[in-house]
Amino acid sequence: MAEPVPAPGEEGAAECAGRGWWGGGLRWSAEPVLLLCTLALGLEEPLCTQYLWHRLGEGGGAQNGTPPAAEAGAGCTNQSQGSGGAQEQELEALVARWNLYLNLSGFLVGLFAVTLLGPWSDSVGRRSALTLPALGMTLEAGIFLVVMYGQWPVGYLLVGRIVAGLSGDYNLVLAASFAYAADITTAPTRTFRVAVLEACLGLAGMAASLAGGPWLRAQGYVAPFWMVFGTSLAATAYAAFILHESVAQPQPAKLLTTRHYRAVARLYVGPARKKLVLFTLAFFFVVTVHFGTRGLLVLFELGSPLCWGPEMVGLGSAASYLTFLSSLAALRLLQKWMPEAWVAELGLLSNVSGLVVLSMAMTTTLMFTGYGLLFLSMTVTPILRAKLSRLVDETEQGALFSAVACVEGLCSLGATGVFTALYPATLPFMKGFPFLFGAILLLLPAAIIGWIQIQDSKPEYRHFTDVAEPSPGPTDSGSTVAENGSETSSTR
């Protein structure tokens, strides 16, 4: 099958993206940066939660980075498989609050950095927008190592989060990576390329989860955090010295100006504002539930009645990340048979059913059954990202994905605030209630996506969501987004 011809204005970006540094056919794309940064984050998040669990639970134990419970092999502080005493509940609430502090500190700083650096990359290029956050994550890991080596108070971890936030943090890595994908693809091929990027998240996260638990048990917290430092540094080096620029004609641009913030705001007052707002709202609910439930899984597994140790926590995290790969395969297959909107609806159904089972999981078998039911859950976000990307001009992809990154930051903040507050409040009567609450919330994006798809399929309702779709390339007329809002078979 012949390669799709780029739309007008895309030829330069597609050509330079495929050339590589040495003029050959190698494609030095953004996937390695995303893989390395996700690997670092996948190692860091559960390790940080478990470090807080043991450090706060043992009154500053964890000497030399070794978890006090490493020899016992259980997550429960009372070593009782199912008593779940008041002391354990108090510790769970304390760790949840510290997770809130860490997320909040990074979000408040990163919110301004992402909306500044994302639109800036539309002019200067994506390499800078990928190098800066990777460097910030490297410095954050270095600060975490200093805290662990020196047994400093856990409050110093906030310094690392603020440093990462100033550079845009992981959200800017996501924004720049997806904008990079939009630069080098045409509208019809964008959904699958975005899904490939999301699969990279799952692949790196699964590798981190499988390695993190056994490594923690064998060598404590310090050695895995050196891996976090090393992978972040490698991502920085790749973005700075190897990654080829995807913006066709980078131009110098002033960084500290309100023009970048106005570029983001203009997206939501343009002709595509109705669909942008609705799809962004759906994206908000989906990602909020993902962040909120994923952030509680380690705590849920460490406590009774599961009482998982580091290895089981790693296996559980790997199972959750495996949904990225299964969703990629399912998306590729289902796109041949139905519009993307209905694929997203199937993904939401998978997510709801999995969360309902997780909310009632009292055994390891039931816990992994819930993970299995989530096998389509990650088809939703790449579809929403691609639909949002098609609604704006090719020169506004950085601004769009920085806005999406801000929404993800708000999701992280909202999820941390709501779910971490809900978790200790509902422990006395239903430990898994936050998962059930997340399943209920997912009914809202299901309604939004279904409503848009139904209205777009009826010509008499087109005025509710009518927007200008991206113009096809010279030879793409058979593979563009259909006028009624659903894709033709050739786009999939």
Side-chain angles (χ1 to χ4, degrees):
M1 182 178 293
E3 292 290 333
V5 178
E10 291 182 332
E11 294 91 339
E15 180 185 357
C16 73
R19 233 185 4 247
W21 277 95
W22 297 277
L26 295 176
R27 294 181 179 272
W28 299 107
S29 192
E31 281 83 358
V33 181
L34 191 61
L35 275 167
L36 290 168
C37 288
T38 305
L39 178 60
L41 189 68
L43 283 169
E44 177 186 316
E45 285 188 336
L47 286 171
C48 186
T49 298
Q50 292 178 84
Y51 179 76
L52 289 170
W53 174 277
H54 294 298
R55 184 78 184 272
L56 297 172
E58 299 296 325
Q63 295 296 327
N64 299 320
T66 303
E71 295 80 9
C76 301
T77 56
N78 57 13
Q79 301 300 317
S80 175
Q81 299 289 318
S83 63
Q87 183 179 0
E88 181 185 314
Q89 293 185 14
E90 181 181 353
L91 177 58
E92 288 180 345
L94 182 60
V95 173
R97 283 198 297 271
W98 270 105
N99 278 332
L100 172 62
Y101 301 152
L102 290 171
N103 287 335
L104 184 62
S105 60
F107 165 75
L108 292 177
V109 178
L111 177 65
F112 297 98
V114 171
T115 50
L116 185 69
L117 295 169
W120 180 64
S121 71
D122 284 328
S123 299
V124 303
R126 311 297 180 203
R127 288 177 61 190
S128 298
L130 286 167
T131 304
L132 288 173
L135 179 60
M137 292 177 67
T138 304
L139 295 175
E140 178 191 19
I143 292 172
F144 278 31
L145 283 169
V146 171
V147 172
M148 291 177 179
Y149 272 114
Q151 290 294 300
W152 291 6
V154 294
Y156 284 101
L157 298 177
L158 295 172
V159 177
R161 292 295 301 123
I162 292 172
V163 168
L166 286 171
S167 68
D169 206 1
Y170 184 70
N171 280 338
L172 184 57
V173 175
L174 288 175
S177 297
F178 288 118
Y180 193 105
D183 293 338
I184 63 174
T185 59
T186 57
T189 62
R190 193 161 299 158
T191 299
F192 186 71
R193 185 58 184 262
V194 169
V196 169
L197 281 171
E198 297 233 12
C200 290
L201 306 182
L203 185 63
M206 182 169 56
S209 300
L210 290 173
W215 203 350
L216 169 62
R217 178 179 291 277
Q219 294 185 296
Y221 298 101
V222 172
F225 258 98
W226 273 111
M227 183 66 175
V228 174
F229 180 86
T231 51
S232 299
L233 186 61
T236 305
Y238 178 91
F241 303 113
I242 299 177
L243 179 67
H244 204 77
E245 183 54 65
S246 64
V247 174
Q249 296 179 335
Q251 300 290 334
K254 186 177 180 181
L255 175 60
L256 300 177
T257 173
T258 59
R259 181 171 63 87
H260 303 310
Y261 297 110
R262 293 197 301 270
V264 175
R266 280 196 300 270
L267 296 174
Y268 290 89
V269 296
R273 63 184 179 276
K274 295 176 183 177
K275 275 190 174 179
L276 275 172
V277 170
L278 288 172
F279 280 133
T280 301
L281 186 61
F283 185 84
F284 174 82
F285 283 116
V286 172
V287 178
T288 295
V289 172
H290 285 173
F291 281 163
T293 54
R294 190 179 296 274
L296 293 178
L297 282 172
V298 174
L299 278 177
F300 187 82
E301 294 160 355
L302 286 171
S304 60
L306 295 174
C307 295
W308 284 5
E311 287 95 343
M312 289 303 299
V313 169
L315 288 174
S317 297
S320 67
Y321 280 114
L322 189 61
T323 59
F324 286 88
L325 302 181
S326 60
S327 295
L328 174 66
L331 178 63
R332 186 65 164 177
L333 177 64
L334 293 174
Q335 277 184 316
K336 299 178 180 180
W337 307 104
M338 62 182 67
E340 289 180 351
W342 301 129
V343 179
E345 295 283 31
L346 287 177
L348 288 168
L349 177 62
S350 170
N351 208 340
V352 168
S353 60
L355 289 176
V356 169
V357 172
L358 289 177
S359 71
M360 299 180 291
M362 304 295 287
T363 65
T364 296
T365 300
L366 198 57
M367 194 72 185
F368 279 101
T369 300
Y371 282 135
L373 289 172
L374 296 172
F375 75 108
L376 285 178
S377 60
M378 296 310 300
T379 58
V380 186
T381 48
I383 289 174
L384 289 174
R385 290 185 201 271
K387 285 184 174 292
L388 286 166
S389 177
R390 295 185 189 115
L391 295 173
V392 302
D393 189 80
E394 297 300 325
T395 61
E396 299 174 315
Q397 297 298 321
L400 171 71
F401 284 109
S402 65
V404 173
C406 288
V407 172
E408 290 190 77
L410 287 171
C411 292
S412 178
L413 178 63
T416 305
V418 173
F419 282 82
T420 56
L422 195 62
Y423 185 73
T426 57
L427 278 175
F429 66 89
M430 184 179 181
K431 186 173 183 177
F433 182 81
F435 302 119
L436 183 61
F437 177 72
I440 295 171
L441 281 183
L442 288 178
L443 299 179
L444 295 173
I448 292 172
I449 296 171
W451 184 83
I452 293 176
Q453 178 65 18
I454 290 171
Q455 302 311 315
D456 282 356
S457 65
K458 299 178 180 179
E460 64 269 26
Y461 293 114
R462 278 296 308 270
H463 64 280
F464 283 112
T465 55
D466 194 22
V467 296
E469 297 286 354
S471 58
T475 61
D476 280 348
S477 58
S479 61
T480 60
V481 178
E483 284 297 318
N484 66 357
S486 60
E487 288 77 14
T488 63
S489 60
S490 59
T491 68
R492 299 187 291 272

